[in-house]
Short mmCIF file of all heavy atoms in Angstrom, two decimals:
data_model
loop_
_atom_site.label_atom_id
_atom_site.label_comp_id
_atom_site.label_asym_id
_atom_site.label_seq_id
_atom_site.Cartn_x
_atom_site.Cartn_y
_atom_site.Cartn_z
N VAL A 48 68.64 123.11 77.01
CA VAL A 48 69.95 123.77 76.91
C VAL A 48 70.73 123.61 78.21
O VAL A 48 71.92 123.28 78.22
CB VAL A 48 69.77 125.27 76.56
CG1 VAL A 48 71.10 126.01 76.75
CG2 VAL A 48 69.26 125.42 75.13
N SER A 143 106.08 118.17 109.98
CA SER A 143 107.27 118.55 109.21
C SER A 143 107.94 119.79 109.77
O SER A 143 109.09 120.08 109.45
CB SER A 143 106.89 118.79 107.74
OG SER A 143 106.00 119.89 107.63
N THR A 148 118.29 118.50 112.60
CA THR A 148 119.60 119.07 112.31
C THR A 148 120.40 118.06 111.49
O THR A 148 120.07 116.88 111.44
CB THR A 148 120.36 119.38 113.61
OG1 THR A 148 120.65 118.14 114.29
CG2 THR A 148 119.53 120.29 114.52
N VAL A 232 110.14 102.19 87.57
CA VAL A 232 109.50 101.58 88.74
C VAL A 232 109.61 102.57 89.88
O VAL A 232 110.66 103.20 90.07
CB VAL A 232 110.19 100.26 89.14
CG1 VAL A 232 109.57 99.69 90.41
CG2 VAL A 232 110.13 99.24 88.01
N VAL A 495 116.33 77.60 114.60
CA VAL A 495 116.91 77.74 115.93
C VAL A 495 118.23 76.97 115.96
O VAL A 495 118.28 75.75 115.69
CB VAL A 495 115.97 77.18 117.01
CG1 VAL A 495 116.52 77.52 118.40
CG2 VAL A 495 114.56 77.74 116.84
N LYS A 524 113.21 75.24 127.38
CA LYS A 524 113.35 74.99 128.81
C LYS A 524 114.30 73.82 129.03
O LYS A 524 114.20 72.80 128.35
CB LYS A 524 111.98 74.67 129.43
CG LYS A 524 112.00 74.45 130.93
CD LYS A 524 110.60 74.19 131.47
CE LYS A 524 110.63 73.99 132.98
NZ LYS A 524 109.26 73.74 133.53
#
Side-chain angles (χ1 to χ4, degrees):
V48 168
S143 64
T148 66
V232 176
V495 188
K524 182 178 181 179

